[in-house]
Amino acid sequence: MCGIVGYIGNNKAVPYLLNGLHKLEYRGYDSAGIAVAENGKIKVTKSAGRIANLEKKLQEKEPYTADVGIGHTRWATHGEPSDVNSHPHSSAGEKFCLVHNGIIENFQSLKASLEKEGVIFLSQTDTETAVALLEKNYSGDVILALSKTMKQLEGSFALAIICEDEPEKIFCARRSSPLVMGKSDEGNFIASDVTAMLKYTNNVYKLGDDEIAVVTKDSIDFYNINCKKLKKESEQISWSIEDAEKGGYDHFMLKEIMEQPKAVAETVLPRIKNRKEIVLDTVKLSEEELKNIDKIYIVACGSAYHVGVIGKYILEKMTRISAEADIASEFRYRNPILDEKKLVVIISQSGETADTLAALRLAKENGAKTLSIVNVVGSSIANESEAVLYTYAGPEIAVATTKAYSAQLSVIYLLSAFIAAKLGKLDKEGLEAFISDLENMPGQIQAVLESSFDEMEKLADLFLETEHAYFIGRNLDYAGAMEASLKMKEISYLHSEAYGAGELKHGTISLIEPKTVVVALCCNDEIFAKTISNIKEVRARGAAVIAVTTEKHKNEILDVDFVVSVPDARAELLPSLEVIPMQLLSYYTAKKRGCDIDKPRNLAKSVTVE
Ligand code: G6P
């Protein structure tokens, strides 16, 4: 949520800042701005709207020649997306200029007391209080002023600052909002996300909570909040710049959809040994500890929560431990029953989602065992959970997740079979059969991609004549319907809802009328016939119906507008297959409706605010 970039080196800063902002635009795109330190003065250009607006403004000005600068792309929280609310923000005396990610929760009280002292604020942002405070706390030592300011700020922040008195430095600080630094032959970089600097380096330093960094052309130094110098090692990131570029596709979303067989293979296969054992090195829970667990909570937000809902069905079915899926923002405020007998599984692509991180902390504080499924190595959730199982999906740029979702699902399968085997709920043969099916999954996903690619493009036409769509299913199919519906609404702006197929008749069926599109997921063998009855109910009310089922059932579904089929597979693994045509259907619907697929309105990829 919001992107920060900074450059300091021997070259002109602006091209590096703009390149970095383009890479980070998926984090927020309400406004963008940069600040450079040039000839002893700080110069700022910022604009509401996309980066293109900022670029236009810059072109109309005398070009900046500075070799140091910071930049920001915003997802608005406090104050509308206007020029004045855009970052960077300067202090009244114009000594400091900063960009900020996160939320300063006590900004109102800070602002009131600063106003009493005569400070005049220009924007409605919480951020402006931080820069005002910095100037107030400054008496010649920026690190000291920053340390004092951090102690007064409540909430979350990643800050990048330039100061008129020390124009050859970028000062950084963070609490609960990511910030990384990298050295390269072309200069040194800072960014909220490694993708902004992958073109130049993949060797990065991660700033920790309540730490400060000072970046110059030749050095990066770290301090704790009490200004004590810290030693920090850099980390090698395995992602490459190609991973973070479109590579010939029209949209990142389509590229990422097509990368799913690889993401799943890379997440699953290294964890399978000799086709008969699942090795999860980081999960240290002994058989005894597993036996003691009386409940598994799976906690996440957005699509990761939908993975959690699928996980609830599969974990419970395979391990016979009661499992529940929770939305992180609800879980943390509902006083859940947590103790050492609970296993809390946290799922997050970014590893930085504020509510999910808070849920993890709550679980730990209350003695529960914690395990996270995360895509970004070294992210806050990965760092803070007792065990982490990484998904190896590579960087995901499109706001709507696809490949990270599929990789998360595959970790759920691994984990379920791993626990079930340890508890003796899955015998040797059963485990080997499960593993063999898992190994086939990347190939099956590839097959669905190939068979449904053109089909979904045509089928998307059905969604051009309606403003309402319903996705229905039972059990695992219902969980799949939740994700299919979210995907459709978030990128195509079509109103869509997911319903348990059996629940429709308790109210929602009154909304079904001719031309309403109902997508019925009915892959699950055990309840196939039940869902078919529900299809008949909506059909009788004139709905256009698309049924998604397996090869073996496809000829049994009559009287619908279209049947989409996926290969036959073990029930637990079918969610990974049925989601593929649904992603493509959303993609093509959004494309035909002229939507901004990779950057849907009002959304951001990494949600680091509550
Ligand atoms: C945002 C994204 C979703 C994602 C959710 C959770 O809403 O648009 O695609 O599922 O955040 O993000 P996380 O990084 O925790 O998986």
Side-chain angles (χ1 to χ4, degrees), residues 570-589:
R570 174 186 292 270
E572 291 87 338
L573 307 188
L574 281 168
S576 288
L577 303 182
E578 68 184 8
V579 73
I580 306 291
M582 298 295 93
Q583 294 167 342
L584 287 167
L585 190 61
S586 305
Y587 173 79
Y588 282 116
T589 304

Side-chain angles (χ1 to χ4, degrees), residues 89 122 185 236 316 434 460:
H89 290 280
L122 303 177
D185 295 343
Q236 197 70 22
E316 202 166 77
F434 193 91

Side-chain angles (χ1 to χ4, degrees), residues 301-304 347-351 353 356 399-401 408 490 604-605 607:
C301 298
S303 295
I347 308 178
S348 174
Q349 186 282 129
S350 62
T353 304
T356 315
V399 167
T401 179
Q408 288 162 354
E490 68 180 334
K605 183 133 191 93
V607 183

Side-chain angles (χ1 to χ4, degrees), residues 313-581:
Y313 285 109
I314 300 177
L315 274 161
E316 202 166 77
K317 182 174 172 193
M318 293 181 66
T319 68
R320 302 315 292 153
I321 302 172
S322 154
E324 230 175 275
D326 262 274
I327 295 168
S329 52
E330 291 294 317
F331 180 80
R332 58 184 295 202
Y333 294 116
R334 76 169 171 88
N335 197 8
I337 299 168
L338 288 164
D339 53 42
E340 70 292 347
K341 291 187 161 191
K342 309 291 179 286
L343 170 64
V344 177
V345 178
I346 296 283
I347 308 178
S348 174
Q349 186 282 129
S350 62
E352 302 292 349
T353 304
D355 283 311
T356 315
L357 179 60
L360 166 68
R361 289 179 178 159
L362 179 76
K364 281 177 71 179
E365 276 159 28
N366 288 283
K369 309 210 165 5
T370 58
L371 185 161
S372 65
I373 299 172
V374 177
N375 196 43
V376 178
V377 175
S379 53
S380 304
I381 291 175
N383 284 344
E384 292 188 30
S385 32
E386 279 167 55
V388 51
L389 289 170
Y390 282 112
T391 47
Y392 296 108
E396 194 178 59
I397 311 292
V399 167
T401 179
T402 51
K403 64 174 179 172
Y405 173 89
S406 286
Q408 288 162 354
L409 267 185
S410 62
V411 176
I412 287 290
Y413 305 145
L414 288 166
L415 184 66
S416 305
F418 175 84
I419 298 179
K422 280 218 167 195
L423 292 177
K425 308 277 183 218
L426 193 61
D427 62 16
K428 193 168 157 289
E429 289 72 39
L431 180 62
E432 282 178 21
F434 193 91
I435 286 174
S436 157
D437 290 350
L438 264 183
E439 286 177 329
N440 286 337
M441 226 177 38
Q444 288 188 312
I445 294 176
Q446 183 65 39
V448 185
L449 280 170
E450 284 164 19
S451 66
S452 56
F453 197 83
D454 296 335
E455 222 171 59
M456 293 308 115
E457 184 172 10
K458 286 191 209 112
L459 214 49
D461 287 340
L462 256 188
F463 293 84
L464 303 181
E465 290 160 30
T466 181
E467 281 307 313
H468 306 280
Y470 294 87
F471 289 77
I472 62 170
R474 288 167 180 259
N475 291 1
L476 281 172
D477 288 328
Y478 173 40
M482 291 166 86
E483 175 59 9
S485 168
L486 178 64
K487 212 83 299 163
M488 181 60 85
K489 76 177 92 173
E490 68 180 334
I491 61 167
S492 75
Y493 313 148
L494 181 86
H495 167 240
S496 91
E497 288 183 46
Y499 265 88
E503 182 64 13
L504 212 58
K505 57 180 141 327
H506 296 291
T508 308
I509 201 162
S510 64
L511 295 171
I512 305 290
E513 55 184 359
K515 286 209 173 154
T516 310
V517 181
V518 175
V519 181
L521 304 181
C522 41
C523 289
N524 200 327
D525 256 348
E526 287 170 24
I527 28 114
F528 175 77
K530 307 277 175 206
T531 311
I532 294 297
S533 308
N534 303 130
I535 291 179
K536 291 200 184 308
E537 290 158 10
V538 294
R539 197 75 185 126
R541 272 104 193 148
V545 176
I546 299 171
V548 184
T549 192
T550 49
E551 277 295 315
K552 78 171 167 205
H553 287 303
K554 74 173 183 203
N555 296 325
E556 295 165 41
I557 306 181
L558 308 166
D559 188 33
V560 297
D561 294 81
F562 202 87
V563 179
V564 180
S565 65
V566 300
D568 295 315
R570 174 186 292 270
E572 291 87 338
L573 307 188
L574 281 168
S576 288
L577 303 182
E578 68 184 8
V579 73
I580 306 291

